[in-house]
Amino acid sequence: MWPFRAKDAANGAVALAEDPADHPVDPGAIRDEIDALTAAQQRSPNVDGYRRLLKLRHHAGAGLLEPGLVPEFAAPDSAGLASGDPIPEITASELTPGLLRAGILRDGCLLVRGLVPSERARSFATHIDRAYAARSRLAGGRRAAPGLYEEFEPEERFGPVVGRSWIEQGGGLLAADSPSLSFEMFELFAAAGVGELASAYLGEPALISVHKTTLRKAEPSVPGAWHQDGFFMGPVRSLNLWLSLSRCGDEAPGLDILPRRIERLVATATDEAVLDYTISQRVAEEVAGDLGILRPIFEPGDALFFDELFLHQTGSSPTMRKPRFALENWFFGGSGFPADYAPLAV
Ligand SMILES: O=C(O)CCC(=O)C(=O)O
Ligand SMILES: [Fe+2]
């Protein structure tokens, strides 16, 4: 229920309460402001606009959480999926929600070549590097350009964001912690049509989260660890868009994957895998069976879609020469949104 529409008559800005549960605002009014401010930022960007957009997306996202809903995934277009390739692969122009569902149900994933133009992907990677540099400068007590790294604080009911140092150690920076890169990311999503795609796939409006959209810089020296993201997230309705922003899989760390559908969480913390969520090499090889483990080569702009049951790890080796940049972005349906995460409307 959204009892009133609160707009500031002077500038058209929606009056956002600290917690929309106390003081709800018409979701249509928030969406209008997101659209208007996005257009204004495209013409003449400023840091306050980036910050405001993130806050608006957070409020809009909170209004889209609907645990009671029972949506259906897109019907799989199994006939449209070629057979024979170890990893199902299509080009961006062929991508549909039905093919995506078919790839995930048959092989656990779908590889989409050229989802984002290569130049745009490379340029996003250089901006990620700048956000990393800003984070380091700020940690060292130095100044950095405003808007590149500012830790996002969700509304109180979503709790503080914990685990930033763990994310940093693994080669990550939360997209929501960079107001300017968040803007660029949403622009990239809009151009590629992935918000609509994810909504059609999930059968409900797609959200993303503060906690699980990560700008990645994988260094060859940091080893991967086999995992299924469902282990951390609990029961969810999800779709991960993993977007490569560098050539990887040979000269830089890629992803090691098992291109098969797995219907359950497999055993963790056995053999050499000591952390609660990690899966050992032996278990990964057992699950892979005859299909084996693959390390595809990705070019900047290529994407791999998968869900919370997919088994994978960062595919790195110390002999690689370069770091790899990527965007790890998990979409969720409002009916199956992780309990501990803070939402952002797409
Ligand atoms: O980028 C990586 O190496 C890890 C990505 C990952 O684990 C994921 O997208 O779920
Ligand atoms: Fe993962």
Side-chain angles (χ1 to χ4, degrees):
M1 295 297 290
W2 299 92
F4 62 89
R5 190 178 175 103
K7 271 208 170 192
D8 175 334
N11 62 11
V14 176
L16 297 177
E18 272 313 302
D19 186 338
D22 299 336
H23 190 73
V25 176
D26 177 353
I30 301 191
R31 177 47 65 182
D32 288 351
E33 192 186 338
I34 291 175
D35 293 345
L37 188 51
T38 298
Q41 289 289 101
Q42 287 164 349
R43 288 190 301 271
S44 157
N46 70 75
V47 175
D48 281 339
Y50 294 144
R51 294 181 183 128
R52 172 83 183 164
L53 269 170
L54 264 181
K55 200 164 179 183
L56 285 164
R57 289 191 185 279
H58 182 37
H59 278 248
L64 288 169
L65 298 180
E66 291 212 50
L69 221 66
V70 189
E72 300 237 349
F73 286 105
D77 175 10
S78 310
L81 204 62
S83 53
D85 293 333
I87 303 173
E89 179 177 320
I90 60 171
T91 58
S93 61
E94 296 168 318
L95 179 57
T96 62
L99 272 183
L100 188 49
R101 187 67 185 149
I104 286 179
L105 286 180
R106 195 186 72 188
D107 301 319
C109 63
L110 183 66
L111 200 167
V112 181
R113 296 286 179 198
L115 181 70
V116 167
S118 149
E119 264 324 294
R120 192 161 186 180
R122 285 179 211 274
S123 142
F124 194 50
T126 62
H127 294 167
I128 292 179
D129 217 14
R130 278 198 230 145
Y132 272 67
R135 177 172 64 184
S136 302
R137 291 181 66 80
L138 293 166
R142 284 172 294 158
R143 289 157 60 91
L148 264 181
Y149 187 76
E150 294 174 10
E151 295 184 353
F152 185 82
E153 280 182 36
E155 288 163 30
E156 217 175 310
R157 71 178 151 134
F158 295 107
V161 178
V162 288
R164 279 191 174 96
S165 59
W166 180 76
I167 291 165
E168 183 171 354
Q169 275 165 32
L173 184 152
L174 297 178
D177 285 346
S178 179
S180 62
L181 266 75
S182 289
F183 180 79
E184 204 172 325
M185 177 183 76
F186 282 111
E187 289 289 276
L188 204 139
F189 286 173
V194 289
E196 289 86 357
L197 176 81
S199 299
Y201 173 88
L202 294 165
E204 58 182 326
L207 296 157
I208 66 167
S209 70
V210 171
H211 295 70
K212 199 76 179 128
T213 291
T214 308
L215 308 173
R216 294 203 162 275
K217 180 177 181 182
E219 296 285 355
S221 56
V222 179
W226 288 107
H227 65 279
Q228 290 169 294
D229 287 80
F231 184 93
F232 324 101
M233 302 192 296
V236 290
R237 301 188 78 248
S238 79
L239 174 68
N240 183 14
L241 159 60
W242 183 89
L243 179 67
S244 177
L245 304 170
S246 313
R247 181 183 166 105
C248 65
D250 49 7
E251 60 187 32
L255 277 187
D256 289 340
I257 64 170
L258 273 58
R260 60 178 303 168
R261 179 68 181 165
I262 302 166
E263 293 286 355
R264 64 195 165 87
L265 293 177
V266 307
T268 58
T270 69
D271 310 282
E272 82 290 355
V274 287
L275 301 179
D276 62 346
Y277 71 93
T278 50
I279 294 164
S280 71
Q281 183 69 22
R282 180 185 62 80
V283 171
E285 282 171 12
E286 250 170 51
V287 176
D290 293 343
L291 292 172
I293 291 165
L294 300 181
R295 182 176 289 177
I297 306 280
F298 295 96
E299 294 292 346
D302 291 346
L304 191 71
F305 287 94
F306 53 90
D307 74 7
E308 73 278 5
L309 292 171
F310 193 59
L311 186 38
H312 58 282
Q313 70 171 350
T314 302
S316 61
S317 88
T319 55
M320 291 170 163
R321 289 178 297 112
K322 296 183 180 175
R324 171 266 281 162
F325 292 89
L327 169 66
E328 172 187 348
N329 173 72
W330 289 81
F331 291 105
F332 300 103
S335 70
F337 192 84
D340 301 333
Y341 293 1
L344 295 170
V346 179

